[in-house]
Amino acid sequence: MTTQQDLYDALGVSREASQEEIKSAFRKLAMEFHPDRNKSEGAEGRFKEIAGAYEVLSDPEKRGRYDRFSSAGVNGGQAQGFQGFEGFGGFGDIFDAFFRGTASRRVAPQRGADLRVEMELDFADAVFGVDHELVFDRIEGCAECKATGQRTGTDPATCPECEGQGEIRRVQRSLFGQFVNVATCTRCRGEGRIITEPCSECRGRGERRVGARRAVKIPAGVDDGSQIRLSGEGDAGSHGGPPGNLYVQLGVRPHEHFRRAGDDLLYELPLNVAQAALGITVDVPTLDGDEVELEIKPGAQHGELLPLRGRGVPHLRGSGRGDLVVRAHVVTPTKLSADQRELMQQLAESLGTPSVPDDAGSLLGRIRDALG
Ligand SMILES: [Zn+2]
Ligand SMILES: [Zn+2]
């Protein structure tokens, strides 16, 4: 660029060009030489020159001064005229002012949708954790066209409806005066550009629903209703927005022997009345797979709780495990043989009517405990 260059030459228009012609010439050249789009050497300098010329010629007052005094009349000199453009805020501002749509900034970035998948776990897998592979569908940006929708190697066109603005402005008159109605351009849906040759992979949508596989580590100690969040594994965002999250909703299948109470496991140990009265040593199954020998002392009450420390569910946060709580379940016989009936009869007469035991195993005892 030389300081001698004529501003009209810079835009390639005649000195008689209308404002409309100047605008259209600038737009065409700026599209070609914008540093974001044109990486060739000299493009930046050329763009600066174009933008500087446009800054002067698009302003009737400055253009008039330029015409009267040629280069000397504008800001005291043509070179300074270009510097004046720098004060305008740089390439980005002036470019955006004219090409907001084509720069695809007209449409706000949109975060992708969150996805939810349900997963059924075996009881023991929820307790001890498990590695799982999730298979689910999600929307991903098309890799072929880099999510643009436009066939690779071809360029989208500026939307003719909104001239790349992404919106249509209409002046409306009403009783209350005049106002400008701004509506998103329906032709390009606010994109400012339209696809001329759709990508064959995504048919111009820029995104595709694809089957995804994702390894997920279910931590030890999750429970029915727990939720796991996999950040950024949801649907892809659009217009540069981030992807959504994937939420895995966990369900736990019931176990044949064990129930969960937080981080404790409950095991109901069936005892007949004689075993409860006399005491017994039993092998209690654990979720770990082995058995633990447990001594039931004589006089065990129905509902009595016998904790096996550290044999429960690993704490989800922190270390250690809950307890395996064995609950004595005294089962009263419902069918008796003649012999058993005879024995029970003798026992009943011998024992007489009992009083409610005042210990923690009885309901009364527990209520008293709770009341302090
Ligand atoms: Zn449009
Ligand atoms: Zn595509």
Side-chain angles (χ1 to χ4, degrees):
M1 179 185 79
T2 69
T3 54
Q4 298 306 310
Q5 198 195 2
D6 185 82
L7 297 186
Y8 291 97
D9 288 347
L11 291 181
V13 294
S14 74
R15 299 185 80 86
E16 291 73 39
S18 67
Q19 287 300 312
E20 214 34 59
E21 285 170 316
I22 286 169
K23 188 173 172 184
S24 124
F26 167 67
R27 184 170 284 178
K28 193 163 152 281
L29 289 168
M31 285 282 274
E32 190 181 341
F33 292 101
H34 189 281
D36 280 357
R37 303 168 61 101
N38 192 328
K39 302 293 179 200
S40 67
E41 206 182 317
E44 186 172 310
R46 180 80 176 97
F47 180 79
K48 211 169 178 179
E49 189 179 295
I50 296 158
Y54 183 71
E55 199 215 357
V56 174
L57 298 183
S58 62
D59 180 332
E61 199 197 313
K62 283 186 183 172
R63 184 182 177 186
R65 281 162 67 199
Y66 176 76
D67 287 346
R68 280 194 301 281
F69 306 108
S70 193
S71 61
V74 185
N75 296 333
Q78 188 181 336
Q80 279 162 36
F82 287 132
Q83 282 157 18
F85 158 71
E86 295 277 78
F88 185 81
F91 303 125
D93 285 1
I94 199 162
F95 188 81
D96 286 351
F98 288 91
F99 298 98
R100 287 186 304 172
T102 49
S104 78
R105 287 186 200 133
R106 200 68 210 99
V107 184
Q110 258 191 322
R111 189 175 168 275
D114 289 337
L115 299 178
R116 192 174 303 274
V117 293
E118 288 178 8
M119 188 191 280
E120 272 275 278
L121 293 174
D122 279 337
F123 191 89
D125 286 345
V127 170
F128 297 120
V130 66
D131 288 329
H132 210 284
E133 191 182 46
L134 276 177
V135 180
F136 59 102
D137 279 0
R138 71 174 165 201
I139 291 170
E140 288 182 2
C142 175
E144 172 64 26
C145 62
K146 295 190 176 63
T148 60
Q150 177 79 22
R151 184 195 299 268
T152 312
T154 66
D155 286 320
T158 301
C159 173
E161 201 69 30
C162 62
E163 300 186 308
Q165 295 300 301
E167 57 186 28
I168 307 282
R169 291 170 173 270
R170 277 196 192 89
V171 177
Q172 294 194 335
R173 285 169 218 284
S174 76
L175 276 178
F176 309 104
Q178 183 174 305
F179 61 94
V180 180
N181 183 34
V182 181
T184 301
C185 175
T186 50
R187 174 83 186 268
C188 63
R189 289 188 214 87
E191 302 266 359
R193 54 184 173 77
I194 49 170
I195 286 164
T196 52
E197 289 185 54
C199 164
S200 55
E201 287 297 309
C202 63
R203 293 182 184 153
R205 286 197 303 272
E207 58 183 31
R208 299 161 73 194
R209 178 165 290 280
V210 294
R213 284 170 182 274
R214 172 73 159 77
V216 54
K217 205 172 191 60
I218 307 294
V222 295
D223 204 349
D224 198 60
S226 293
Q227 200 176 55
I228 291 174
R229 190 184 66 185
L230 300 174
S231 291
E233 295 289 343
D235 280 349
S238 57
H239 308 107
N245 296 327
L246 173 66
Y247 291 93
V248 186
Q249 186 72 38
L250 299 176
V252 179
R253 281 187 278 270
H255 194 275
E256 196 187 343
H257 302 304
F258 301 104
R259 278 188 296 134
R260 280 280 285 272
D263 284 348
D264 292 332
L265 288 174
L266 274 178
Y267 175 72
E268 298 267 346
L269 177 69
L271 295 172
N272 69 36
V273 284
Q275 289 168 328
L278 301 171
I280 188 174
T281 299
V282 290
D283 286 330
V284 174
T286 71
L287 202 57
D288 300 77
D290 58 345
E291 292 189 328
V292 174
E293 201 172 81
L294 180 66
E295 190 197 343
I296 307 296
K297 293 205 171 65
Q301 299 297 323
H302 176 71
E304 198 171 322
L305 302 175
L306 303 149
L308 292 167
R309 300 285 173 206
R311 287 304 199 119
V313 180
H315 301 309
L316 195 55
R317 288 176 191 82
S319 57
R321 294 173 64 174
D323 301 330
L324 170 58
V325 181
V326 178
R327 184 172 180 268
H329 195 128
V330 180
V331 182
T332 308
T334 51
K335 279 178 190 150
L336 293 171
S337 67
D339 287 353
Q340 287 165 342
R341 178 178 291 276
E342 176 69 31
L343 287 167
M344 279 291 184
Q345 205 104 46
Q346 289 176 28
L347 197 55
E349 279 162 24
S350 167
L351 289 172
T353 302
S355 58
V356 175
D358 191 13
D359 62 42
S362 74
L363 178 60
L364 191 59
R366 271 175 292 171
I367 290 170
R368 281 178 186 156
D369 271 3
L371 294 175

